[in-house]
Amino acid sequence: MATVLSVSGGPSSSPRTVRLLRHVDERLRARGHDMVPFDIRSLPQEAPLRADSVHSEPRPAAALFASADGVVVGAPVRKAARSGLLKAPLDLLPVVDASSAALGGAAREAAA
């Protein structure tokens, strides 16, 4: 079936967030999907902070996003905002048309 990238986007290895993502992974795997776990903390932090889209280390991550049929992102939200650790690398990804995607969460968060 589909290949789904499961992104852990918290600044720490929050047991609740990771546990929730692994639960979603198991449910989707049981439905025949291939799950690819990815921890955003594994990226070097200096490239996204400089908005360096040609830095060599984020390229494999961009390839993971590009090759996935779907993406599940789990990250804690504090003061109605997601972590900069998650946002900075996502801002470097190419913009895609998500109009046909099923988006969870609040509409303003999905569009941000």
Side-chain angles (χ1 to χ4, degrees), residues 5 14 27 41 106:
L5 184 62
S14 167
R27 300 277 309 253
R41 292 179 303 133

Side-chain angles (χ1 to χ4, degrees), residues 1 4 20 26 29 51 54 56 58 80 87 92:
M1 293 194 100
V4 180
L20 175 62
E26 289 172 19
R29 195 173 288 116
V54 295
S56 61
K87 186 181 181 316
L92 296 178

